[in-house]
Amino acid sequence: MAMAIRSFLIFLFIVSLTVPTFSLHEDQVGLMDWHQKYIGKVKHAVFQTQKTGRKRVLVSTEENVIASLDLRHGEIFWRHVLGANDAIDGIDTAMTKYAITLSSGGSILRAWNLPDGQMVWECFLQGPSDSKSLLFVPTSSKVDKDNTILVFGKGSLHAVSSIHGEIVWKIDFPSESFEVQEVIQHHDGNTIYVVGFVGSSQFDVYQINAKNGELLKHNSAAIDGGFSGEVSLVSTAKLVVLDAARSTLLTISFQRGEISFQKTYISDLVEDFSGMAVILPSKLTGLFAVKTSTATAFISVSSEGKLEVVDKVMHATFISNALSISEDQQAFALVWHGDNEIHLNVKQIHDWNSDLLKERIKLDQQRGLVHKVFINNYVRTDKSHGFRALIVMEDHSLLLLQQGKVVWSREDGLASIIGVTVSELPVEKEGVSVAKVELNLFEWLKGHMLKVKGSLMLASAEDVAAIQGMRLKSSEKSKMIRDHNGFRKLLIVLTKSGKLFALHTGDGQIVWSLLLNSLRQTEACENPTGINVFQWQVPHHHAMDENPSVLVVGRCGTGTDALGIFSYIDTYTGKELKYFGLDHSVAQVIPLPLTDSTEQRLHLLIDANGQAHLYPRAPEAVSIFQRELSNIYWYSVEADKGLIKGHGLKSNCAGEVADNYCFGTREVWSIVFPSESEKIISTVTRKSNEVVHTQAKVIADQDVMYKYISKNLLFVATVSPKASGDIGSATPGESQLVVYVVDTVTGRILHRMTHQGSQGPVHAVFSENWIVYHYFNLRAHRYEMTVIEIYDQSRADNKDVLKLVLGKHNLSSPISSYSRPEVTTKSQSYYFTHSIKAIAVTSTAKGITSRHLLIGTIGDQVLAMDKRFFDPRRSVNPTQSEKEEGILPLTDSLPIIPQSYVTHSLKVEGLRGIVTVPAKLESNTLVFTYGVDLFFTRLAPSRTYDSLTEDFSYALLLITIVALVVAIFVTWVLSEKKDLSDKWR
């Protein structure tokens, strides 16, 4: 055992010397990479401004983030990213020192320390059924008083201690159809009311003892016409709800548990009312808002339940919750748009005609409409009340408004990226060069002297800071023109909100942003959804005259049968050139390797009916497409049915109106996986733009193996149905992972392999002729990674030099999927320490540089591993020729070298994807990682063999040359003197 450990440590030491690592010196931070932190679209916000010191706001977001933000600058004090399945249902504060969060459908309650975000306690709540989740924290200014937190979730009401997180009492509600609407604590603190609906026509009130959870009373009442389920609580014993037809308001009183109804027709309150009304969400005492097709009406509720309209507004209005500004005064905010401005009014609830605040703030139109507003008050120096408003915009950005201006803003829409592509920057034109010398000779010499001190390890902390500052200042990485190495590009990212951003790869700055009109909600398209962003026009021959553009594809709904949306955007200016709705659905988008004379790329859109639509809709595009019609194939995966189909094209669509851009499709092949034994969980194919340098692979003893290179290969992973759940949901005997390599033109299965006792999730990457995939081995209780390499046996005879000289070989014969390929595979499996979230592979311009796998770990970091670790030809004792080839000794597990983390000590919270882009310089590749955070870096997998590094010390080289010249001259003089003295002897 000790010998094995010693051997493994020696292997790690050798590997650390031979494998490139990506560590940085202290003064190199920020030169080749950048990191940006976000939180996502805010759902809830609670201000913490009572104490002296730092003012902060506690927020939760749709990306399942809980964060504390600085009110002065909007910076993040602390944050926690919960799991993808741990959605936050509500937040509040307790005892003025704890942040309370309820998540996972009301099943997990947590307390966090407000100053530093450390978790204090965690409580798991259980109940008989899934239900709406509600969090109620009693208001108290006493720090150490143990207030009981009330949580309704999973069909049960829990009382939890705010100090220890222990469950004080619990009560289950018997009716599974009971939908709770509000949990209300009586002002005496001894009684709790739980109110809700049973079905659509019965209203129930449960009266509970707050100290021990004893059920005191249960009343129910039915009413004709039913309820719509939208509730506005206007007092501790009164709420307002719409009937099922949404034309009548029902005021429900439940004083002391006794239920009474009062009907009011909306037509009696709002003139010219027609259609259906909606109660806007708000928590205002004695006041609520109803939105109709013509106006938004604000209606007061008297103590007797009488309704009266206090105001009507004709524009879309957003309302905040009530804010207590004194013991007997409450205020709330109204926000609406008009004349490219936001109008912010703060009013008292019981005095509608007086405005506590009235401001107009100009905002960027690209932020869209207001979606949420939260207000907070502060005391000015003259003892009057001032107000600040936290605004959530349509593009998911977050703004703080105060004193009529935007104090700070956050582009948190970048936390929800759904698509990424790349665009080149403009070419530098003569006469308009932005390359200027900014440093004089003295500063240049000073900078290089500091670099020399740094190289000789003589620099102080101040010198290191000065070196880094000068490098950042003199760096050309953020210029808005192309560079000869291809490092400067634009990352075009599409977010969930329908906003498009252009990020500069140099420093991550937002060059432009555009809220797409095509993806904004309208009457015709109530639920627009972005699908992805694609390169549309990439001018090479006319790069000086034409701008590149991208195509954004979306649909009016979430289903594949929803009508499609198209939008073209200029990537230099960020202008939307054209957008329009399609007359067909979009189930699949296929970028074709074809371009027209204007260098627009052809795209094929497959609709839900299986018809193919060609874009751009131009005669030239059709002509080009018709020539390649017989060679275009694609596949579709229906995972829920266990079905993979191959498709081809036939003649134009048959219809009443001739459409030259619509084509019928035919099913070429299909693979059906038996539902009782296999379920599809993952499919991966090669990148369409991947460059392969050579098909031949020279191995030991000068032998040659030929890679089977085809862009028509598909990797498929299936598991047994019992093993399709979380890890551990099935026993090793019930679990089976099967992987396939399928030719998508003919449907042939080229390779099949079974992993007994294994299950997903499966993450895979397909590059050149090899596949690497990650899964869990239940028998070994460890994660594994397996590599499969595919080789072409039909060219195996091309090893004789004489045949190559005489031309008797078949290397020039085309590779066709129509002919049955002769392939052989090699595979090997290794243990791997981490669970992973994503996996990608580096890509370079010519494909010469060795490839590295980029693995997004469960810790939200990116690990780079040389492909040599995944060579299936590794053996325990490699021969001398294999060592010369670079084959590493075989170990049962893959080593993880800390210096190989390309994210260094940083985390990309909520990591979802890794995108690699080749630079013009062959040795370098650009890596963009996105999730809740963004991270970008530049890698050299085989080191920078084709250029000098940016931190190369030219001054040290110059000093060395001068010193050598001086030494040569001094030596020559001394030699001459010695020769002269020898001659005089």
Side-chain angles (χ1 to χ4, degrees):
M1 183 67 182
M3 186 65 182
I5 295 174
R6 191 179 299 113
S7 301
F8 183 69
L9 291 175
I10 293 172
F11 167 72
L12 283 180
F13 176 72
I14 295 172
V15 165
S16 65
L17 296 177
T18 58
V19 176
T21 57
F22 304 98
S23 55
L24 290 178
H25 294 291
E26 183 182 2
D27 61 341
Q28 292 177 319
V29 175
L31 291 179
M32 294 186 297
D33 56 53
W34 46 264
H35 180 230
Q36 297 175 356
K37 294 182 178 181
Y38 297 102
I39 57 175
K41 184 181 181 181
V42 171
K43 295 194 297 184
H44 313 100
V46 179
F47 289 89
Q48 279 296 304
T49 57
Q50 290 82 5
K51 290 186 176 181
T52 56
R54 290 180 172 179
K55 310 298 183 183
R56 64 184 74 206
V57 58
L58 185 70
V59 298
S60 69
T61 72
E62 291 183 356
E63 300 300 322
N64 301 339
V65 177
I66 171 76
S68 177
L69 304 180
D70 180 10
L71 273 180
R72 292 181 181 272
H73 310 290
E75 298 172 349
I76 300 173
F77 280 139
W78 57 262
R79 65 173 178 168
H80 295 285
V81 181
L82 307 184
N85 299 321
D86 196 6
I88 300 173
D89 304 310
I91 63 171
D92 210 330
T93 58
M95 303 164 56
T96 69
K97 65 177 182 179
Y98 292 160
I100 307 297
T101 61
L102 179 66
S103 59
S104 293
S107 61
I108 303 178
L109 188 69
R110 298 181 178 97
W112 315 84
N113 195 30
L114 269 177
D116 56 13
Q118 295 294 318
M119 190 167 69
V120 181
W121 51 258
E122 185 177 40
C123 180
F124 295 91
L125 310 175
Q126 297 179 347
S129 61
D130 292 333
S131 65
K132 183 178 180 179
S133 303
L134 294 173
L135 172 66
F136 179 78
V137 181
T139 304
S140 175
S141 59
K142 296 183 179 180
V143 176
D144 297 322
K145 184 179 179 181
D146 188 3
N147 294 317
T148 302
I149 301 171
L150 299 176
V151 177
F152 186 92
K154 298 293 181 182
S156 300
L157 181 66
H158 298 80
V160 182
S161 168
S162 59
I163 293 180
H164 307 293
E166 298 174 350
I167 298 175
V168 179
W169 52 260
K170 171 188 174 183
I171 181 170
D172 296 330
F173 293 88
S175 176
E176 293 184 359
S177 61
F178 177 63
E179 296 182 7
V180 66
Q181 297 297 326
E182 294 288 346
V183 175
I184 308 150
Q185 188 168 22
H186 198 264
H187 56 79
D188 60 7
N190 297 322
T191 308
I192 297 169
Y193 293 100
V194 178
V195 299
F197 302 125
V198 175
S200 60
S201 60
Q202 181 176 315
F203 180 77
D204 281 29
V205 178
Y206 290 87
Q207 192 173 347
I208 300 166
N209 188 317
K211 294 183 178 180
N212 55 23
E214 179 186 357
L215 180 60
L216 303 177
K217 186 187 290 187
H218 171 216
N219 287 348
S220 63
I223 187 170
D224 296 334
F227 309 99
S228 68
E230 296 173 357
V231 168
S232 179
L233 185 68
V234 293
S235 72
T236 56
K238 194 182 277 85
L239 56 83
V240 178
V241 64
L242 284 165
D243 69 345
R246 296 179 179 269
S247 61
T248 304
L249 290 168
L250 304 173
T251 306
I252 307 175
S253 300
F254 46 92
Q255 190 73 29
R256 299 184 184 88
E258 301 297 330
I259 303 173
S260 63
F261 297 97
Q262 187 173 339
K263 284 187 177 182
T264 306
Y265 294 103
I266 298 179
S267 58
D268 295 338
L269 300 173
V270 180
E271 296 179 0
D272 302 327
F273 168 73
S274 62
M276 296 188 294
V278 177
I279 294 180
L280 298 181
S282 63
K283 293 184 178 179
L284 306 177
T285 303
L287 189 70
F288 67 98
V290 174
K291 182 181 179 182
T292 67
S293 58
T294 58
T296 300
F298 292 90
I299 303 171
S300 64
V301 184
S302 66
S303 57
E304 295 82 16
K306 183 181 178 181
L307 306 184
E308 182 181 355
V309 176
V310 295
D311 196 7
K312 285 192 299 184
V313 293
M314 309 306 293
H315 38 68
T317 306
F318 302 88
I319 311 167
S320 73
N321 287 337
L323 171 70
S324 296
I325 56 177
S326 64
E327 292 184 0
D328 57 349
Q329 283 187 329
Q330 285 188 328
F332 70 102
L334 298 176
V335 179
W336 69 90
H337 290 261
D339 300 327
N340 299 328
E341 293 178 324
I342 281 185
H343 297 254
L344 173 63
N345 281 18
V346 178
K347 293 178 176 289
Q348 291 189 50
I349 290 180
H350 301 296
D351 188 3
W352 182 268
N353 295 322
S354 64
D355 290 323
L356 298 176
L357 179 70
K358 195 171 184 178
E359 293 178 344
R360 299 169 67 179
I361 304 102
K362 285 193 175 182
L363 281 185
D364 182 5
Q365 294 182 8
Q366 298 303 326
R367 296 196 183 278
L369 302 175
V370 174
H371 274 197
K372 286 182 183 293
V373 56
F374 308 91
I375 63 166
N376 175 244
N377 68 309
Y378 61 94
V379 180
R380 298 191 181 102
T381 54
D382 60 357
K383 303 301 181 181
S384 63
H385 286 289
F387 296 90
R388 55 175 72 94
L390 193 68
I391 305 290
V392 183
M393 303 299 294
E394 183 180 352
D395 66 343
H396 297 185
S397 60
L398 187 66
L399 296 80
L400 184 72
L401 309 182
Q402 187 173 332
Q403 296 180 354
K405 62 181 180 179
V406 179
V407 179
W408 51 259
S409 62
R410 295 179 52 87
E411 293 290 352
D412 284 305
L414 287 168
S416 55
I417 292 175
I418 60 175
V420 181
T421 190
V422 177
S423 174
E424 294 289 349
L425 283 163
V427 178
E428 185 175 9
K429 299 180 181 179
E430 294 183 4
V432 291
S433 172
V434 294
K436 297 179 181 178
V437 178
E438 298 180 354
L439 301 176
N440 56 34
L441 180 61
F442 175 76
E443 291 175 332
W444 184 86
L445 290 173
K446 178 183 176 182
H448 281 284
M449 290 304 297
L450 286 172
K451 288 183 180 179
V452 170
K453 291 177 68 177
S455 301
L456 299 176
M457 311 293 265
L458 300 175
S460 62
E462 292 77 9
D463 292 336
V464 170
I467 292 170
Q468 187 173 357
M470 293 183 71
R471 281 179 173 174
L472 292 173
K473 183 179 178 181
S474 62
S475 176
E476 297 184 349
K477 65 180 184 178
S478 59
K479 283 186 177 181
M480 289 303 298
I481 55 171
R482 297 184 195 182
D483 61 311
H484 62 279
N485 290 328
F487 296 157
R488 294 196 293 263
K489 297 180 186 291
L490 289 178
L491 293 169
I492 311 298
V493 299
L494 176 65
T495 64
K496 193 186 299 182
S497 64
K499 192 171 187 178
L500 203 65
F501 290 87
L503 306 177
H504 198 294
T505 57
D507 54 6
Q509 65 171 308
I510 299 174
V511 178
W512 54 260
S513 61
L514 174 68
L515 187 62
L516 298 172
N517 291 316
S518 56
L519 294 180
R520 297 187 69 180
Q521 185 176 3
T522 61
E523 293 183 1
C525 185
E526 295 185 354
N527 188 21
T529 305
I531 298 177
N532 210 337
V533 55
F534 304 91
Q535 289 187 346
W536 177 251
Q537 186 177 22
V538 184
H540 296 289
H541 304 295
H542 306 283
M544 302 288 286
D545 307 317
E546 297 182 4
N547 294 356
S549 58
V550 293
L551 165 68
V552 175
V553 182
R555 54 170 73 104
C556 283
T558 55
T560 56
D561 57 346
L563 295 179
I565 304 169
F566 255 37
S567 184
Y568 306 108
I569 297 93
D570 187 316
T571 60
Y572 287 175
T573 62
K575 292 182 179 179
E576 194 166 15
L577 303 175
K578 184 181 180 182
Y579 70 93
F580 54 90
L582 307 180
D583 57 0
H584 58 82
S585 58
V586 179
Q588 196 173 353
V589 182
I590 305 173
L592 300 174
L594 306 170
T595 57
D596 61 13
S597 59
T598 62
E599 297 182 276
Q600 289 183 347
R601 188 169 183 178
L602 274 61
H603 288 71
L604 199 63
L605 271 64
I606 314 301
D607 64 20
N609 298 322
Q611 294 181 328
H613 303 265
L614 178 66
Y615 291 89
R617 298 172 73 88
E620 183 190 4
V622 172
S623 176
I624 296 170
F625 183 73
Q626 289 281 7
R627 292 196 293 268
E628 299 292 335
L629 187 70
S630 60
N631 294 322
I632 295 175
Y633 296 88
W634 71 95
Y635 67 92
S636 61
V637 180
E638 299 178 35
D640 54 339
K641 297 179 180 179
L643 181 63
I644 301 178
K645 293 180 181 180
H647 305 275
L649 292 168
K650 54 183 182 181
S651 58
N652 291 86
C653 300
E656 296 179 0
V657 180
D659 187 351
N660 295 328
Y661 307 102
C662 177
F663 298 86
T665 62
R666 56 190 174 91
E667 184 179 317
V668 180
W669 56 265
S670 64
I671 299 175
V672 181
F673 297 95
S675 58
E676 64 275 5
S677 60
E678 295 186 64
K679 181 179 180 181
I680 300 173
I681 59 170
S682 180
T683 58
V684 175
T685 189
R686 278 184 60 197
K687 277 186 177 181
S688 61
N689 59 348
E690 185 182 48
V691 178
V692 179
H693 176 61
T694 178
Q695 186 186 0
K697 181 178 181 179
V698 181
I699 58 176
D701 301 326
Q702 303 303 310
D703 200 359
V704 180
M705 298 178 69
Y706 292 93
K707 306 171 186 177
Y708 184 74
I709 305 296
S710 173
K711 293 184 178 180
N712 300 317
L713 296 184
L714 174 68
F715 170 81
V716 182
T718 68
V719 294
S720 53
K722 290 185 178 180
S724 60
D726 295 333
I727 293 175
S729 59
T731 63
E734 298 171 332
S735 302
Q736 176 180 270
L737 173 67
V738 187
V739 298
Y740 302 84
V741 179
V742 181
D743 189 305
T744 59
V745 173
T746 62
R748 292 191 185 102
I749 297 177
L750 303 182
H751 180 69
R752 180 182 185 274
M753 186 163 62
T754 303
H755 300 273
Q756 296 291 345
S758 299
Q759 71 172 118
V762 172
H763 297 273
V765 63
F766 200 146
S767 178
E768 293 190 349
N769 69 318
W770 51 266
I771 308 154
V772 173
Y773 55 98
H774 176 278
Y775 56 94
F776 189 78
N777 188 329
L778 288 169
R779 296 186 187 277
H781 302 286
R782 300 177 72 175
Y783 289 100
E784 284 187 0
M785 296 188 78
T786 296
V787 58
I788 300 174
E789 291 188 354
I790 310 169
Y791 293 95
D792 189 351
Q793 284 295 94
S794 64
R795 301 168 188 265
D797 296 333
N798 296 318
K799 302 175 183 179
D800 192 340
V801 176
L802 183 60
K803 285 186 177 181
L804 294 174
V805 172
L806 297 177
K808 296 181 178 180
H809 59 78
N810 61 349
L811 290 179
S812 60
S813 60
I815 298 174
S816 174
S817 291
Y818 297 120
S819 59
R820 188 173 185 85
E822 298 177 30
V823 298
T824 183
T825 60
K826 296 180 180 295
S827 63
Q828 183 67 270
S829 297
Y830 306 91
Y831 290 127
F832 190 68
T833 307
H834 297 302
S835 170
I836 71 175
K837 291 185 173 182
I839 184 170
V841 64
T842 57
S843 56
T844 55
K846 304 296 181 182
I848 300 172
T849 305
S850 62
R851 299 190 186 274
H852 275 50
L853 271 76
L854 302 174
I855 301 169
T857 66
I858 193 67
D860 292 320
Q861 292 185 294
V862 179
L863 175 69
M865 296 195 71
D866 197 322
K867 170 60 175 62
R868 290 188 296 160
F869 286 118
F870 300 92
D871 194 329
R873 296 169 49 239
R874 287 175 62 185
S875 59
V876 177
N877 296 308
T879 63
Q880 183 60 34
S881 58
E882 288 176 336
K883 290 179 181 178
E884 292 174 358
E885 185 186 341
I887 294 179
L888 301 174
L890 178 65
T891 56
D892 61 347
S893 61
L894 296 167
I896 295 179
I897 305 169
Q899 290 83 0
S900 294
Y901 282 99
V902 300
T903 49
H904 316 301
S905 61
L906 303 172
K907 284 188 176 184
V908 185
E909 295 284 3
L911 189 150
R912 291 193 303 274
I914 303 171
V915 178
T916 60
V917 181
K920 288 183 181 178
L921 201 64
E922 171 59 27
S923 63
N924 283 257
T925 182
L926 311 179
V927 180
F928 177 60
T929 307
Y930 63 92
V932 175
D933 293 346
L934 307 181
F935 179 81
F936 176 87
T937 191
R938 190 172 81 235
L939 299 182
S942 300
R943 303 186 186 275
T944 51
Y945 56 83
D946 51 0
S947 66
L948 295 174
T949 59
E950 289 184 352
D951 58 346
F952 182 80
S953 179
Y954 294 94
L956 186 60
L957 176 63
L958 181 62
I959 291 172
T960 303
I961 294 173
V962 171
L964 288 173
V965 171
V966 171
I968 291 171
F969 179 76
V970 170
T971 305
W972 177 76
V973 171
L974 294 176
S975 176
E976 289 292 322
K977 287 184 178 181
K978 186 176 183 301
D979 289 344
L980 183 61
S981 63
D982 289 343
K983 289 178 180 179
W984 279 103
R985 289 178 181 175

